[in-house]
Amino acid sequence: MSTIVILTGAGISAESGIETFRAETGLWAQHRVEDVATPEGFAKDPKLVVDFYNGRRIQVAGAEPNAAHKALARLEAEHTGEVLVVTQNVDDLHERGGTRNLIHMHGALNSALCAGCDHRWPIAGDMQVGQQCPACSAPTARPDVVWFGEMPYEMDRIFDVLGRADFFAAIGTSGNVYPAAGFVAEATRAGADTVEINMAPTIVGSEFTSSIMGPATQTVPAWVDKILKSN
Ligand code: OAD
């Protein structure tokens, strides 16, 4: 029974209408990373940061999982071994598409985090600056999103599964951000077959055993069919 680890990035949600980060008109062309995705940016202008994630939360609420998200859920349901999806995305389209064994390594838009006591709780609508933590009552709520300079979530669990992976796929991620961009090297060390699935080759593309290029809504269902047939 084989173990499959799948890393996803913004490209898997692009065809659901959610913009990626590094496209010409993507999020990082519209906003400065230092302003909206660092602890220093939040300390300097919390309203700008809270408003940015409130806007993204509204956008995601109006989006639907696409054929690629659903294909990964089908893989998890039908594969005889373990399937773990590790996403860098803060949207909830994997969950809504049916994936259960999922790690949000960069956090989630539908969650708040207390900067004081680390309590996390679900949120649906807008967050406010200085919102109270329901556990410790301090006015220290922040978006539960991992910013640059912070440690991504569940790294021990991710590296544990990567260390015994038979297949590793990276879908719709540009390979610019570590530690996620280093997962292919870890999977390779574990002896896994690795595939990059993207619109175009990325800067870490040469580290993969093979590649599949095209829009995720087409390539991912086809790749899942192939894996399930070889089960
Ligand atoms: P990027 O915006 O860097 O890369 C998106 C990738 O998706 C690119 O390689 C595109 O070629 C590809 N792509 C676009 N549309 C696609 C489609 N329809 N089908 C398949 N591939 C497609 O986004 P990420 O790699 O996810 O972190 O970015 C990684 C991290 O950088 C994010 O989690 C975020 C960001 O800064 C933090 O904010 C901490």
Side-chain angles (χ1 to χ4, degrees):
M1 285 204 303
S2 57
T3 298
I4 305 176
V5 182
I6 297 154
L7 171 70
T8 67
I12 198 167
S13 297
E15 291 164 82
S16 293
I18 299 178
E19 65 255 86
T20 63
F21 294 94
R22 293 176 180 80
E24 250 173 62
T25 54
L27 281 170
W28 293 158
Q30 302 166 45
H31 306 269
R32 278 162 35 105
V33 174
E34 309 81 49
D35 291 341
V36 296
T38 62
E40 295 78 16
F42 184 60
K44 192 168 135 205
D45 191 346
K47 182 160 166 33
L48 180 82
V49 177
V50 165
D51 286 349
F52 173 71
Y53 292 100
N54 284 344
R56 296 201 64 203
R57 195 174 302 108
I58 289 169
Q59 188 192 28
V60 166
E64 295 296 333
N66 64 44
H69 299 105
K70 291 178 191 165
L72 294 185
R74 187 162 70 85
L75 179 65
E76 181 187 304
E78 296 179 18
H79 179 59
T80 46
E82 181 181 3
V83 176
L84 173 67
V85 176
V86 179
T87 189
Q88 297 165 92
N89 299 341
V90 291
D91 66 54
D92 61 353
L93 297 182
H94 280 302
E95 306 75 316
R96 287 201 267 136
T99 290
R100 296 285 164 263
N101 198 20
L102 173 70
I103 294 178
H104 271 283
M105 65 176 289
H106 287 170
L109 285 169
N110 58 15
S111 176
L113 169 71
C114 176
C117 75
D118 282 347
H119 177 67
R120 287 152 131 180
W121 65 100
I123 43 161
D126 278 356
M127 280 188 75
Q128 317 296 329
V129 174
Q131 197 171 316
Q132 256 192 356
C133 168
C136 73
S137 302
T140 42
R142 56 164 274 186
D144 189 9
V145 167
V146 175
W147 290 324
F148 286 92
E150 297 180 327
M151 183 58 82
Y153 294 144
E154 300 204 53
M155 293 309 298
D156 287 351
R157 191 176 146 211
I158 295 169
F159 275 97
D160 178 57
V161 184
L162 280 173
R164 52 186 165 80
D166 299 293
F167 294 99
F168 172 76
I171 304 174
T173 178
S174 64
N176 276 287
V177 176
Y178 285 81
F183 290 175
V184 59
E186 184 63 22
T188 302
R189 265 194 293 278
D193 238 346
T194 58
V195 59
E196 174 167 79
I197 305 179
N198 202 302
M199 279 297 252
T202 71
I203 52 170
V204 291
S206 62
E207 295 184 39
F208 291 81
T209 335
S210 62
S211 68
I212 302 171
M213 295 294 130
T217 55
Q218 291 170 30
T219 53
V220 177
W223 174 73
V224 166
D225 279 346
K226 202 178 111 196
I227 298 273
L228 288 174
K229 278 198 188 110
S230 69
N231 251 347

